Amino acid sequence: GLGDVYKRQGPLQFRAIFLIGDRSTASQIEYKVKQLSKEKKRAIVKQKVLPENLCKNSQYISPSDYQ
């Protein structure tokens, strides 16, 4: 089943965390990011910046600093 797939992959890890104004906006941006190709998502993580067409006001937080 699907649970077995997740067990094999191991725990999920945050690669990038961004502070965004409110929960509604954050949910909309999360949906848009999930629609992006793997390459575009990797570029976001590497550059530590969301593209302006997704969000103009966001702040990157290192996953190791997030609590």
Side-chain angles (χ1 to χ4, degrees):
L2 188 57
D4 294 332
V5 171
Y6 289 119
K7 286 180 189 175
R8 287 192 298 265
Q9 290 179 349
L12 297 176
Q13 295 179 352
F14 289 112
R15 302 289 183 189
I17 299 171
F18 294 91
L19 289 179
I20 297 171
D22 60 83
R23 186 179 184 125
S24 175
T25 304
S27 293
Q28 291 171 4
I29 293 169
E30 179 183 11
Y31 174 80
K32 290 176 184 178
V33 168
K34 287 181 178 183
Q35 303 306 309
L36 297 175
S37 67
K38 265 188 183 181
E39 292 79 24
K40 289 183 181 180
K41 288 184 234 182
R42 286 184 177 139
I44 290 172
V45 172
K46 185 177 181 179
Q47 297 168 3
K48 300 177 182 175
V49 175
L50 287 172
E52 279 204 22
N53 64 333
L54 292 179
C55 182
K56 294 180 182 174
N57 297 317
S58 66
Q59 179 184 354
Y60 174 82
I61 298 175
S62 171
S64 61
D65 294 339
Y66 184 74
Q67 296 184 34

